Amino acid sequence: MRQRIGIKEVAAAAGVSTTTVSHALSGKGRLPEGTRARVREVAEQLGYRPNVSARKLGGGSTGLLALAVSQVEDLTFQLGDFDYFASLIREATTAALDRGYALAIAPAAAAEDALHKIPADGALVVDPVPDDASIAYLRGQGVPIVTTGRLLDDGDGYWVDNDHAAGVGRVLDHLHAVGARRIALVAPRSFASYIVDVRAGYAGWCAAHDCEEIVGIAPDVTEQGGFAASSALLSDPDPPDAIYAVLDRLAIGVLLAAAAADVDVPGDLRVAACTDSVAAQTARPPLTTLGLNPEQIGREAIGLLIDLVEGLPVSPGHRLVPTTLIERESTLGSPARAR
Amino acid sequence: MRQRIGIKEVAAAAGVSTTTVSHALSGKGRLPEGTRARVREVAEQLGYRPNVSARKLGGGSTGLLALAVSQVEDLTFQLGDFDYFASLIREATTAALDRGYALAIAPAAAAEDALHKIPADGALVVDPVPDDASIAYLRGQGVPIVTTGRLLDDGDGYWVDNDHAAGVGRVLDHLHAVGARRIALVAPRSFASYIVDVRAGYAGWCAAHDCEEIVGIAPDVTEQGGFAASSALLSDPDPPDAIYAVLDRLAIGVLLAAAAADVDVPGDLRVAACTDSVAAQTARPPLTTLGLNPEQIGREAIGLLIDLVEGLPVSPGHRLVPTTLIERESTLGSPARAR
DNA sequence: ACCTTATGCATAACCGCTTTTGCAAGTCAA
DNA sequence: TTGACTTGCAAAAGCGGTTATGCATAAGGT
């Protein structure tokens, strides 16, 4: 009948009061280092685990951060890229644990309800959508928030994202350098800031390079969506000679559409994608991608969030994470020609 | 300065005591229907939301469950199937929240350390590996554990999994029914129970149907792994006429290998996979898959875990979740021939 | 009419932890 | 010596609920 070890048990074992234990563990109060260390040791030995609920109730912090992944109601939002999210979340979790925090998942479905039920000190919202109910709720609660990708309807606040403006330019420059002159963009409608940014970057680049803007709107963010959008583009009398898809899964759909339409990639069509992944790497031909360094995004976002939670001084505004262009056959073509 | 509405405010507004409010809302105590309804209405109007932490404090539990996703050190374990895990975790999270628990992520790396820092009442370990350090640690702490997929080195304990034995039979019967006679299995080496189960089921089926066992071992669980394993199989002088891959990503690799080797699917090779996903659905040709109903697995596992945490009576042992065969072109072939 | 039992609700004691306050003992300057 | 600070720790008051207990009053049995 192993009973939970609470602060009381620790206090008894250490021969001090519960107040002292609380202070020793939290680092607050006035205690000599000696007592502090002794209490900590006893707590450790007894395997003391604080009760999160009790902490929260007493007005303290719980050491819990909510991780909310936004969703779009009317769009089949199947999480565009698995590897991206997995990397981001993995790194975020690790970074949080390093500083003594745990990440609790708030499902996108009942996000608001979930956030109410999770006694979190702060929240990380991944790819928020405009008028995000969970964000409004968190704001009301006064809970610190950091988003990855900025809020479209409110660019203020703290967010971490890639430098998409620079990233788009890099990809388009690359496509142009390998000979593309009619570069199309395949993207879903703009439900998240990075899509807006990429589209804006694309428009700007086209204007600067005197190129026609060709945009194919994908109905969803899966391979199907990419297939549909690019099939339409390819059947045009004056089809593009390059396609940049804003998600790797869309790009894989583009490759499928090209194969179906007997268009040679990269001979007649160069294809590139935003977001690197194993799937992009193993596609036929392997896809040139813009790596987004999700690990770094996750790490920075969590660092920022914890600073906010702990009331540490942070410089206001956002953080930009660089992108990495990964050149593969889908735009380079030499290995394909070698065949 | 809108203040929180607690049970106290509701009590004042309804002209009753906090006890009555608590009883009215929880359905306990002795109250006439009239009072109950009135209090509920007032609570509703005031937008009362119970404080989860306070509620938990009364009970013994802390309201935190750890979600550990095991990993294999020396295998590139990129999470075989995204959709599967996403569905499972989403449903598990929702089920947990419904019962007032939050799910905290314990990263596979540093799992033990992470679990130590997360003051959880119980843990859900997804696809544990043999000699899992995190499980040993949790056992030592006396924390209730439920795994999805059983522990290879210890089948006892509580676990939830698909009825793989039945599932394999269903797929192989299907492949046999559509004419396959040399059915190969593509699988990574056995790091998890479901792979062991599928391989055992496959071996049993082959023995029962007097078929030769042909197994291609994938070096990892990505498209690359499937490509490598099936390329080897297809270059055999007497190649298989069907391949069953234990993960959808492997199967997509199989499709790529078939295309590279100019083998027609499903004409010359039927391909099926375990685990359904959008990627499988949009593959060319669309893949016949065995759906694993991850939602149900997640829900049952969490239900079981919370019962254990709360000391509710549970029947010992495991829970089996049925599979669903989803037939698509990769084994049916008619649409392909129609081309 | 009187005692018992059921009914309707309030009082108060927790739950585990944080935090404010209080108090004794030690330190120090005047 | 003495008042003014520190220092080291404990007592006690919440936090927002749940639940055991108590106590009127009403209903039912004899």
Side-chain angles (χ1 to χ4, degrees), chain B residues 1-299:
Chain B
M1 193 73 10
R2 71 180 245 295
Q3 66 157 49
R4 250 199 74 80
I5 287 167
I7 202 174
K8 228 180 286 183
E9 283 70 32
V10 176
V16 293
S17 74
T18 59
T19 309
T20 303
V21 174
S22 176
H23 282 161
L25 296 176
S26 66
K28 299 184 179 174
R30 300 174 310 206
L31 288 182
E33 238 355 276
T35 311
R36 232 178 258 283
R38 190 158 45 83
V39 171
R40 282 200 170 126
E41 190 166 337
V42 171
E44 174 89 11
Q45 282 199 343
L46 264 52
Y48 166 73
R49 306 280 287 282
N51 181 314
V52 186
S53 300
R55 194 175 265 181
K56 274 290 149 202
L57 199 48
S61 53
T62 72
L64 247 198
L65 300 177
L67 171 71
V69 179
S70 277
Q71 74 161 6
V72 188
E73 308 279 340
D74 51 345
L75 192 76
T76 313
F77 189 48
Q78 296 273 6
L79 285 190
D81 176 20
F82 178 41
D83 292 356
Y84 174 84
F85 280 97
S87 300
L88 193 158
I89 292 175
R90 187 184 316 133
E91 189 65 26
T93 311
T94 306
L97 283 167
D98 283 347
R99 291 184 63 176
Y101 287 78
L103 238 57
I105 313 170
E112 185 172 342
D113 186 45
L115 290 168
H116 180 67
K117 288 181 183 166
I118 300 175
D121 290 334
L124 174 63
V125 182
V126 176
D127 282 349
V129 296
D131 299 321
D132 196 303
S134 47
I135 294 203
Y137 174 77
L138 291 166
R139 284 243 177 81
Q141 296 284 306
V143 174
I145 310 172
V146 169
T147 61
T148 68
R150 69 175 195 286
L151 269 165
L152 282 178
D153 47 355
D154 176 12
D156 295 342
Y158 295 93
W159 51 273
V160 179
D161 201 358
N162 289 110
D163 187 351
H164 284 293
V168 179
R170 193 170 307 167
V171 175
L172 296 177
D173 284 345
H174 167 71
L175 290 172
H176 193 265
V178 295
R181 289 299 172 267
R182 283 181 62 73
I183 308 176
L185 184 73
V186 163
R189 64 182 179 66
S190 306
F191 58 84
S193 69
Y194 79 96
I195 298 177
V196 172
D197 293 346
V198 171
R199 292 185 64 166
Y202 171 75
W205 189 92
C206 287
H209 292 72
D210 204 25
C211 291
E212 185 188 345
E213 275 187 56
I214 312 167
V215 178
I217 297 293
D220 61 47
V221 294
T222 68
E223 291 85 353
Q224 281 172 328
F227 187 91
S230 53
S231 292
L233 293 175
L234 293 176
S235 64
D236 193 88
D238 187 10
D241 57 5
I243 292 182
Y244 179 40
V246 301
L247 282 170
D248 61 339
R249 289 182 76 166
L250 290 176
I252 289 172
V254 172
L255 292 181
L256 294 170
D262 261 331
V263 172
D264 181 51
V265 177
D268 302 322
L269 181 73
R270 334 221 165 215
V271 180
C274 192
T275 299
D276 195 42
S277 67
V278 175
Q281 191 182 327
T282 43
R284 297 282 116 160
L287 277 168
T288 287
T289 55
L290 189 67
L292 300 183
N293 301 312
E295 296 87 358
Q296 194 179 342
I297 295 181
R299 206 177 322 123

Side-chain angles (χ1 to χ4, degrees), chain A residues 248 251-260 263-267 269 271 277-288 328-331 335-336 339, chain B residues 222-228 231 252-261 284:
Chain A
D248 61 338
I252 289 172
V254 172
L255 292 181
L256 294 171
V263 173
D264 182 49
V265 176
L269 181 75
V271 180
S277 67
V278 175
Q281 192 181 326
T282 42
R284 298 283 116 165
L287 278 167
T288 287
R328 298 208 183 90
E329 286 180 39
S330 70
T331 58
R339 245 195 300 168
Chain B
T222 68
E223 291 85 353
Q224 281 172 328
F227 187 91
S231 292
I252 289 172
V254 172
L255 292 181
L256 294 170
R284 297 282 116 160

